[in-house]
Amino acid sequence: MKHRLLLATLALSAAAAHADSRDLAVKAEIEAKCRFTSGTLSLDFGKLDPSIGAAKSQSTPLTYECTYGTTPTAIQVGTHPAGSYQGTMKLKGSTGGANKEFAYRLTWGTSYPPGLGFTLGGGTATRVAVDIGAEVGEGTYSLAQAGAYEDTVSFTITP
């Protein structure tokens, strides 16, 4: 019996002496990303009275989400990242020109709140916003033809 116990102990010792182990390195990298969460944006100056030609201002929030702690480096319209954009609204259906267009201006801050992460499933807790201001200057539309005017601009966010 002692002989069998001794053989079993030696067999276990020999198996343990030949054991080998390896470490597994598990890695991941979280990307710095930002995305707009605002749906279709719209800014409406309403009816403008050319006989008065008064300046009119509006604003709308542009909401976004970013990877937690990531601050957008730029929010821009086309190639205009400096916080302002000078646009032209054109008479709907026209290519513009004399009395068929007038100027407006968009402004936004250049200091953006850092992201709070992404909300999946339609939540709103992680959204942050920057206000987009719009202004039609005094007298800019006093010679404009009657009708509906529009312009479309595209915003881009860069993390």
Side-chain angles (χ1 to χ4, degrees), residues 63-78:
T63 59
Y64 62 89
E65 293 177 326
C66 290
T67 305
Y68 190 89
T70 298
T71 301
T73 56
I75 293 178
Q76 62 191 52
V77 172

Side-chain angles (χ1 to χ4, degrees), residues 4-18:
R4 282 188 189 168
L5 184 58
L6 181 59
L7 285 175
T9 304
L10 286 174
L12 287 174
S13 295
H18 295 293

Side-chain angles (χ1 to χ4, degrees), residues 88-115:
T88 303
M89 278 193 266
K90 296 178 181 169
L91 183 63
K92 196 171 181 177
S94 80
T95 56
N99 307 94
K100 293 182 181 179
E101 63 185 41
F102 63 91
Y104 71 98
R105 182 180 164 171
L106 297 177
T107 57
W108 59 96
T110 56
S111 176
Y112 312 114

Side-chain angles (χ1 to χ4, degrees), residues 25-80:
V26 179
K27 298 179 181 183
E29 185 175 338
I30 303 295
E31 293 183 78
K33 290 265 191 182
C34 293
R35 68 177 179 194
F36 289 121
T37 56
S38 300
T40 301
L41 292 172
S42 180
L43 240 160
D44 189 349
F45 288 106
K47 293 185 179 186
L48 301 174
D49 184 343
S51 68
I52 297 171
K56 191 161 187 182
S57 298
Q58 294 290 344
S59 68
T60 189
L62 181 62
T63 59
Y64 62 89
E65 293 177 326
C66 290
T67 305
Y68 190 89
T70 298
T71 301
T73 56
I75 293 178
Q76 62 191 52
V77 172
T79 59
H80 303 274

